[in-house]
Amino acid sequence: MTPRFALFRRAATGLAASSLLLLGTLTPNAAADTGTAPPPVLTGAQLAASWTAPLSTRDRYVVDADGDRFKLKSGNWAGAQGTWQGSGDVGDVANHQARQMSHNIPLGLDRKPIADILADFHALGLNSIRLPFANAMIRDTSVVPDSAVAANPQLKGKTPLQVLDAVVAAMTTDGFAVILNNHTTSYRFCCGLDGNERWNSGQSTQQWIDDWVFLVKRYQADKRVVGADLRNEVRRDTWNDPNWGWGNDHDLNKAMEEAGNKILQAAPDMLVVMEGINWQGIPTDLTPHGRPTLTPVATLSNTLIRSDKLVYAAHFYGYTGPNHTGATGTGETHDPRYEEFTPAQLAQVVDDQALFVTRSGQHFTAPVWISEFGAAGRGEIDAKERAWFTHFTDILVKNDTDFAIWPLVGWTDPNGIPQDNWALVNYSANGTRLGVMDAGDWRATDWNKLVNAPGRSGRIAPAPRWNMLNLDYADYDVSATMLAKPDWSPGNRKGNCPDTQRLVGLGRSGGRGLCTDAGQPAKASGPWTVVTDERFVTGGDWASGYNKLQCPDRTFAVGYSTRNNAMSALLCAPATASLPTTGRVLWFDQGDNRPATGGSNASDWAPGHYKGQCADGEYLAGVAFTWKWNHGGVPDALLCRPLA
């Protein structure tokens, strides 16, 4: 059997999801149940009245329809992704995660009425739920056993998808925001070499996208179903790594772009949540390996047709590390685990891997949702893990970070002992609750600290955005207008800005571009112009001896096309008002020429290439290039004109 070196979450009894790890030396819980007060408990009506769907983003924040901050205080209600661990009889509870057989529906429905479960979620201080599911659920026509919904007899006779429908409706009616999470392909419990490593493991990319479009359309009328978390913990399979930006069928950046835009075309109100790469490489001390998380976003971020809908996500567990799978034995290396870092080191590595994305004014700026983290609660406690949980929640508090703990619901055994002591709420066979809000769980102090933490609230002002275009391997069309039209530059690679933005910068080669909405002029309803020659060059020769593509007066550049990195065409959109026709020529044939302030100035959107970029208060009106001197037709200069 191939060693399982990838993630399997740990629990004191049974596996709970992200890495295979023995607990090692355990220390008793000596801490008293003191600390911050429990969170205020809202009724469903109160929670529903506290925010208005749908959600979107401004700068690093998620906001509601009124523009008010909606901090994701979430938990993972697992089960619909499957609990079978991949060996033995699927009908034997001993072969399921923590001896908990979900029957491929959210856990706990056999033990507690939905209303009571949601009341416990309110008591935890949650406002949103991450709801994992398997692609297999969508085509599963089997009926769940009556025993699986014993506490909810209204669900008898339903398929897993129909049960999910009822659960979603109950949650949104009770005021919760719901983010769907594609956790697995099959019902086999994640993670490791389990056949669920990539979005296209066991299925095609097209099937994966089709499943997402099916689901978002299914819930489109329920505006409190607010997001699509595209895929959980993408990682290496036996032979191949996922990559970020190679343009092939293992390219996570490419796949998420395609899926996200198809989702937004089908359901424009949805948030699109993208995780980075969870693992690459073979984990031995002699081979390259690591957990990239969101680090590739620093130089290759994502752009959607709705630039206010992107949220990035990352996962952190104490027993894993930036270069440690979390395994013990096979798959274990001598790299440090997160729980072995000092608090300062941990804060730095979490920023390096994820939270840097929340820095304002960059091409990658977006909210970051820590959509999985957790620790074992009751029972024997790993002292390192306990310290890590305290330090990690301190980081979330300090950075005012959106979060979702793993998992929410588990079972207690006949002796009242949690079978998965990572769960925040455990239910006995007769429905008796044992949760973090009840005496005896050391996590209460840190949990209450986290959900009660002060943070940014109220109205979030709109902020300028900058977004990348990436023509490295193919077209990069994120304009809803142009996606609805025929190919405007056949045979060439094309990049189009989102409809709310304009082109403001180009890389000298490599096909990268930069868009912005800073001071964005309003677009008129007339046709857009494809420029392939110098017929619109007016007001004198602004780049003598060079070929020039120039937008007609009263239009501004919103896209471009290339062939072998050479300029082919410029796409120009009309403005509702006149635009200045004086300006400056910005040369970047000898080095970068970018604004000193604003304009994604602290991040590189075309690494390894010279970049030209107009100032935030300017629009790009033209591009100069030449085939002389072995320049190869790549952009050498931009014509930048003031917006006013």
Side-chain angles (χ1 to χ4, degrees):
M1 179 178 291
T2 304
R4 291 186 176 184
F5 54 82
L7 301 178
F8 283 84
R9 297 180 191 92
R10 172 176 67 174
T13 53
L15 293 174
S18 259
S19 231
L20 185 60
L21 178 67
L22 301 178
L23 290 181
T25 303
L26 298 170
T27 57
N29 179 9
D33 285 319
T34 60
T36 58
V41 179
L42 300 180
T43 65
Q46 289 170 328
L47 178 58
S50 71
W51 66 286
T52 305
L55 301 182
S56 58
T57 71
R58 291 182 178 178
D59 195 60
R60 59 150 292 182
Y61 300 105
V62 176
V63 298
D64 75 357
D66 296 324
D68 292 331
R69 169 84 185 281
F70 185 83
K71 183 175 181 178
L72 295 172
K73 299 182 179 183
S74 322
N76 285 267
W77 192 0
Q81 84 285 356
T83 51
W84 180 57
Q85 295 185 126
S87 62
D89 181 3
V90 70
D92 185 347
V93 70
N95 299 321
H96 288 253
Q97 183 268 328
R99 300 180 66 89
Q100 300 174 150
M101 187 188 300
S102 71
H103 293 286
N104 311 318
I105 61 176
L107 276 164
L109 299 176
D110 58 331
R111 299 178 172 222
K112 203 79 170 176
I114 293 179
D116 292 348
I117 295 174
L118 299 186
D120 288 339
F121 293 172
H122 285 296
L124 288 168
L126 304 176
N127 62 17
S128 45
I129 304 297
R130 183 179 187 245
L131 193 61
F133 70 89
N135 293 97
M137 177 196 67
I138 293 173
R139 284 166 290 280
D140 187 351
T141 60
S142 65
V143 172
V144 300
D146 289 354
S147 60
V149 291
N152 292 274
Q154 75 278 14
L155 301 179
K156 289 182 178 180
K158 295 185 181 295
T159 66
L161 179 56
Q162 290 169 338
V163 171
L164 196 79
D165 292 342
V167 168
V168 167
M171 287 192 292
T172 57
T173 299
D174 220 30
F176 292 101
V178 174
I179 298 175
L180 304 169
N181 162 240
N182 179 217
H183 211 76
T184 53
T185 304
S186 70
Y187 283 136
R188 183 172 172 179
F189 187 75
C190 171
C191 302
L193 298 177
D194 56 6
N196 296 308
E197 297 89 353
R198 293 191 309 276
W199 64 96
N200 54 5
S201 296
Q203 61 187 355
S204 67
T205 296
Q206 189 60 55
Q207 183 64 66
W208 173 66
I209 293 173
D210 289 347
D211 286 352
W212 264 121
V213 170
F214 168 82
L215 276 182
V216 298
K217 285 184 174 180
R218 188 177 186 90
Y219 299 123
Q220 189 169 15
D222 188 342
K223 297 305 179 184
R224 292 189 189 273
V225 180
V226 298
D229 184 351
L230 297 183
R231 187 70 180 188
N232 185 72
E233 295 185 3
V234 172
R235 55 199 181 274
R236 182 185 176 89
D237 61 18
T238 304
W239 303 109
N240 297 297
D241 281 324
N243 67 75
W244 193 266
W246 292 13
N248 60 18
D249 64 355
H250 293 173
D251 184 347
L252 179 59
N253 175 277
K254 172 187 172 184
M256 287 191 167
E257 290 276 0
E258 185 177 359
N261 285 323
K262 291 294 186 183
I263 287 168
L264 289 173
Q265 287 174 301
D269 287 336
M270 297 292 282
L271 292 177
V272 175
V273 181
M274 300 183 182
E275 292 180 33
I277 296 173
N278 196 259
W279 188 265
Q280 288 178 323
I282 301 172
T284 74
D285 288 331
L286 301 177
T287 51
H289 58 272
R291 190 182 310 281
T293 318
L294 296 178
T295 53
V297 173
T299 53
L300 181 56
S301 57
N302 298 85
T303 304
L304 296 170
I305 59 173
R306 286 283 306 273
S307 60
D308 62 344
K309 292 295 183 179
L310 174 61
V311 175
Y312 284 111
H315 295 178
F316 289 93
Y317 290 98
Y319 58 90
T320 67
N323 298 97
H324 202 298
T325 63
T328 295
T330 302
E332 184 176 15
T333 62
H334 289 87
D335 304 291
R337 305 175 193 266
Y338 291 114
E339 64 188 18
E340 293 169 348
F341 290 115
T342 67
Q345 290 170 331
L346 180 63
Q348 185 63 59
V349 76
V350 170
D351 186 75
D352 291 344
Q353 291 194 285
L355 296 187
F356 75 90
V357 173
T358 62
R359 293 173 193 156
S360 296
Q362 309 309 312
H363 67 81
F364 50 69
T365 302
V368 171
W369 185 36
I370 305 301
S371 57
E372 283 189 28
F373 72 104
R378 299 171 189 275
E380 294 183 299
I381 305 303
D382 183 327
K384 285 185 177 181
E385 182 176 77
R386 178 168 175 167
W388 171 84
F389 190 76
T390 297
H391 298 323
F392 187 74
T393 51
D394 285 344
I395 292 169
L396 299 183
V397 169
K398 181 178 180 180
N399 289 278
D400 194 12
T401 303
D402 301 77
F403 60 86
I405 196 164
W406 180 280
L408 284 176
V409 177
W411 295 356
T412 52
D413 67 15
N415 297 315
I417 298 172
Q419 293 177 219
D420 181 352
N421 66 346
W422 284 51
L424 264 64
V425 181
N426 296 275
Y427 299 115
S428 69
N430 66 8
T432 301
R433 185 191 79 187
L434 184 64
V436 74
M437 65 283 276
D438 302 311
D441 193 319
W442 67 268
R443 297 172 299 177
T445 297
D446 291 317
W447 177 253
N448 294 336
K449 168 192 70 181
L450 179 60
V451 292
N452 290 328
R456 181 77 178 269
S457 63
R459 191 62 46 90
I460 304 296
R465 299 177 186 273
W466 289 268
N467 288 103
M468 282 182 54
L469 299 178
N470 169 25
L471 275 63
D472 289 0
Y473 299 104
D475 288 358
Y476 203 97
D477 190 350
V478 286
S479 161
T481 298
M482 298 310 294
L483 283 170
K485 295 180 181 295
D487 189 337
W488 62 270
S489 187
N492 301 313
R493 293 202 302 273
K494 293 161 286 296
N496 302 326
C497 294
D499 284 344
T500 55
Q501 299 184 7
R502 68 185 183 280
L503 188 65
V504 72
L506 287 173
R508 190 162 182 267
S509 57
R512 299 284 181 92
L514 187 69
C515 305
T516 189
D517 60 5
Q520 176 72 5
K523 290 177 180 173
S525 58
W528 296 10
T529 305
V530 178
V531 179
T532 58
D533 54 35
E534 298 189 9
R535 72 184 66 187
F536 299 111
V537 175
T538 59
D541 187 348
W542 51 270
S544 179
Y546 283 74
N547 302 91
K548 289 168 284 293
L549 301 175
Q550 183 174 329
C551 291
D553 291 350
R554 202 169 176 167
T555 70
F556 52 92
V558 292
Y560 60 103
S561 68
T562 64
R563 179 172 297 203
N564 298 325
N565 296 326
M567 288 298 301
S568 295
L570 202 59
L571 181 67
C572 308
T576 56
S578 294
L579 295 171
T581 55
T582 58
R584 65 187 178 110
V585 180
L586 186 149
W587 291 93
F588 58 104
D589 55 329
Q590 301 295 319
D592 280 4
N593 195 344
R594 303 172 63 195
T597 60
S600 193
N601 66 304
S603 53
D604 194 342
W605 45 270
H609 302 291
Y610 296 152
K611 291 165 284 296
Q613 181 179 330
C614 298
D616 297 350
E618 296 177 323
Y619 70 98
L620 195 159
V623 180
F625 57 97
T626 185
W627 296 93
K628 301 175 184 177
W629 315 303
N630 294 320
H631 281 210
V634 300
D636 282 324
L638 304 179
L639 178 60
C640 300
R641 289 175 167 175
L643 289 168

